Amino acid sequence: MSVIVDRKNAHLRLCAEEDVEHRGTTLLEEGRLLHEALPELSLDDVDLSTEILGRRLAAPILISGMSGGTAEAGRLNRALATVAQKCGLGFGVGSQRPMLLHPETAESYRVRDVAPDVLLLGNVGFVQARDAGVAGVAALAEAIGADGICVHLNAAQELVQDEGDRDFRGALDAIGRLVDELPVPVVVKETGSGLAPATLARLRALGVSWVDVSGAGGTSWTAVESLRGTPRQRALGAELRDWGIPTAASIVYARREGLGTIASGGIRSGHDAARALALGADAVSLALPLLRAFAAGGLDPALAAAHGLVEGLRSVALLTGCRRPSDLAKAPRVLGPGLRAWLA
């Protein structure tokens, strides 16, 4: 138990205080939206509300989970879930792997008392999903009242961790069984390395309907791991720090496959969110800016950061003549050469 507690608390501290972001780019900046100088809209006409996985959100934004399983992580989860409730956003907990090993850690993931109305997503790694089976994963979702569960793909991070998994066989079949048998929807989620067209096609063939692309350009979990552990862990984490497919390209790949798409990986502003929606995302997800706002000053700065995201997205929607988030996918834009190369 102490190993898990130390690792989870280290992850939170490093993300809050250290340079843990990908040194490359999401390529979202290469999806430039054209300014509409005559929008013929009032700001009040812009309605950002949208439905994701059966829940109505005030804006297509989710606060994604970063941790759980410790008292510190529990405080963070409850604070950010409170922000989601107050702002009408979605919320996801971090990996529930500790719950599989130590059921007493469940309380650090329970947020329904402070966030009764949010879209709440559970979270389990693909290796743990394989090993726990449908019943085990269903129990994780039920224990926290989740509306759905993310199955996260984190092979790069696991390879870097000295104590990480090395055998990823059978995970694809396990995801297929979850899609067929789990009583709540499944979102397949990367963890900072993006999703390739062939991977998305395999997931679609299994019946997966939703993905969170979590592309390269935001928090690099290999970078996080490079800041802890043995010299081997630090060296491999530094080597793989910038591994992955940029977020912008992953969004387009997912939409080409016809999948419901949540865009994460380097979403840092309402403008970033608008560009992701314009490329085809149904919603965006982020954690680091809100984690850092909370770590620096508590709930009020985290709330202010969330309100700023929504205001930024609403403003860009008006400045492109869009009334609804879905209209952004039809808004005129110019694609830069780097993104065009990934999409060719």
Side-chain angles (χ1 to χ4, degrees):
M1 179 66 173
S2 62
V3 173
I4 293 176
V5 169
D6 290 346
R7 182 170 72 239
K8 296 298 182 182
N9 285 338
H11 285 167
L12 290 177
R13 180 185 62 78
L14 292 169
C15 287
E17 300 174 4
E18 301 291 340
D19 175 15
V20 295
E21 295 195 74
H22 196 285
R23 291 171 299 196
T25 169
T26 63
L27 291 181
L28 287 170
E29 76 282 357
E30 293 209 3
R32 299 195 58 158
L33 293 162
L34 269 63
H35 172 59
E36 174 51 75
L38 290 167
E40 284 294 315
L41 287 172
S42 161
L43 189 60
D44 290 340
D45 293 332
V46 179
D47 179 6
L48 296 179
S49 65
T50 190
E51 185 173 304
I52 303 292
L53 295 171
R55 287 271 187 173
R56 199 76 184 169
L57 306 182
I61 299 171
L62 289 78
I63 302 172
S64 54
M66 297 190 77
S67 195
T70 73
E72 181 181 353
R75 287 190 292 272
L76 175 68
N77 280 336
R78 292 178 64 80
L80 296 186
T82 299
V83 171
Q85 175 72 24
K86 289 179 179 293
C87 297
L89 310 181
F91 180 72
V93 300
S95 172
Q96 292 174 264
R97 182 179 190 172
M99 282 181 62
L100 292 170
L101 302 173
H102 304 283
E104 68 273 14
T105 64
E107 198 58 35
S108 67
Y109 298 92
R110 291 192 175 115
V111 298
R112 274 297 183 201
D113 59 322
V114 296
D117 305 312
V118 303
L119 168 65
L120 177 61
L121 298 179
N123 192 327
V124 65
F126 64 140
V127 172
Q128 288 70 53
R130 177 198 68 193
D131 296 344
V134 173
V137 175
L140 292 178
E142 183 179 5
I144 65 169
D147 298 300
I149 195 149
C150 293
V151 178
H152 70 259
L153 317 179
N154 65 333
Q157 181 186 13
E158 293 290 339
L159 291 177
V160 171
Q161 286 182 357
D162 290 335
E163 68 276 25
D165 295 309
R166 299 293 186 267
D167 184 356
F168 308 109
R169 294 171 296 181
L172 194 65
D173 288 342
I175 291 171
R177 288 192 294 274
L178 291 176
V179 170
D180 290 340
E181 301 176 32
L182 207 63
V184 296
V186 173
V187 179
V188 177
K189 171 183 170 58
E190 235 294 335
T191 52
S193 297
L195 293 168
T199 305
L200 290 158
R202 294 162 79 193
L203 292 172
R204 182 66 169 169
L206 288 174
V208 171
S209 298
W210 281 86
V211 295
D212 181 334
V213 300
S214 192
T219 302
S220 167
W221 285 98
T222 48
V224 173
E225 299 299 350
S226 74
L227 297 173
R228 53 175 293 272
T230 64
R232 185 214 69 89
Q233 179 166 323
R234 293 195 295 271
L236 186 58
E239 181 176 347
L240 296 179
R241 174 175 182 149
D242 300 326
W243 178 261
I245 301 164
T247 299
S250 293
I251 294 167
V252 177
Y253 295 158
R255 291 308 304 175
R256 285 176 176 174
E257 201 58 47
L259 294 164
T261 303
I262 300 169
S264 66
I267 304 294
R268 298 292 179 258
S269 67
H271 192 182
D272 285 342
R275 288 185 284 207
L277 294 170
L279 289 170
D282 297 284
V284 303
S285 181
L286 72 162
L288 192 67
L290 295 166
L291 164 67
R292 288 183 168 174
F294 177 73
L299 185 61
D300 287 345
L303 270 170
H307 285 305
L309 285 165
V310 175
E311 182 181 24
L313 175 56
R314 188 184 304 278
S315 298
V316 174
L318 182 136
L319 294 173
T320 52
C322 295
R323 290 177 180 269
R324 302 296 305 271
S326 57
D327 294 340
L328 283 160
K330 303 184 287 287
R333 86 290 305 276
V334 176
L335 300 185
L339 180 54
R340 289 201 310 270
W342 276 92
L343 301 183

